[in-house]
Amino acid sequence: MTVQKASPLNVNVPIVAQHVRRLPGCYLVSGSAQEVNADADRLITVSMADDQTVVEAAGDEGNWVALYTGGTAHDLDTPGMTVSLIAPLSAAGIPIFVASTASADLVLVPLQALQAAKSSLIAAGHIFHDRTDNGSLDEDH
């Protein structure tokens, strides 16, 4: 029996422009197989039947940055919100970790890929808010 590989799926995804804000600091993403710091400043905990992932603030030791879409809140019925963020990042070859709430998405990207992620999101039509050196929000689009 010969197993054939499926050809790559070429999907045209309409992008829903969103306000994307980088949260301050850097984060560590730890799976249940790794030791989890019980005293850490947790951003999120995702639990499934057989796995748990924790995202915790890690200061200069973190290797992920968090991008949040809370400025473009949406209902659960609104299609295309999450894929509008991850499609341009995926097309750029950027690894992601995603967690969603009922009204917003949190996308983590590796710190070393932040500039590429920012460029990809802006090129896709999103408005990117980042903190400047003086702490004020800077808007790029």
Side-chain angles (χ1 to χ4, degrees):
M1 181 170 128
T2 305
V3 177
Q4 295 181 357
K5 287 186 176 181
S7 10
L9 180 63
N10 188 4
V11 178
N12 185 8
V13 176
I15 300 296
V16 179
Q18 299 173 57
H19 289 266
V20 180
R21 176 173 51 102
R22 178 185 172 188
L23 298 182
C26 292
Y27 299 87
L28 289 174
V29 177
S30 304
S32 60
Q34 298 173 351
E35 186 175 323
V36 175
N37 181 356
D39 297 326
D41 182 14
R42 292 200 181 154
L43 180 61
I44 59 171
T45 301
V46 179
S47 296
M48 302 289 282
D50 60 349
D51 195 18
Q52 175 175 302
T53 300
V54 174
V55 177
E56 58 191 25
D60 293 338
E61 295 178 21
N63 54 356
W64 291 82
V65 293
L67 309 177
Y68 182 62
T69 65
T72 316
H74 56 84
D75 294 329
L76 284 173
D77 307 17
T78 307
M81 299 302 280
T82 306
V83 74
S84 292
L85 298 169
I86 63 174
L89 297 172
S90 179
I94 299 169
I96 60 168
F97 178 80
V98 179
S100 297
T101 67
S103 62
D105 297 302
L106 179 73
V107 178
L108 288 106
V109 299
L111 176 60
Q112 71 272 15
L114 176 60
Q115 287 305 80
K118 180 177 176 179
S119 297
S120 297
L121 292 170
I122 292 169
H126 298 290
I127 299 168
F128 194 95
H129 301 272
D130 205 353
R131 297 247 174 228
T132 61
D133 290 339
N134 65 10
S136 64
L137 280 177
D138 185 26
E139 180 177 303
D140 291 328
H141 35 125

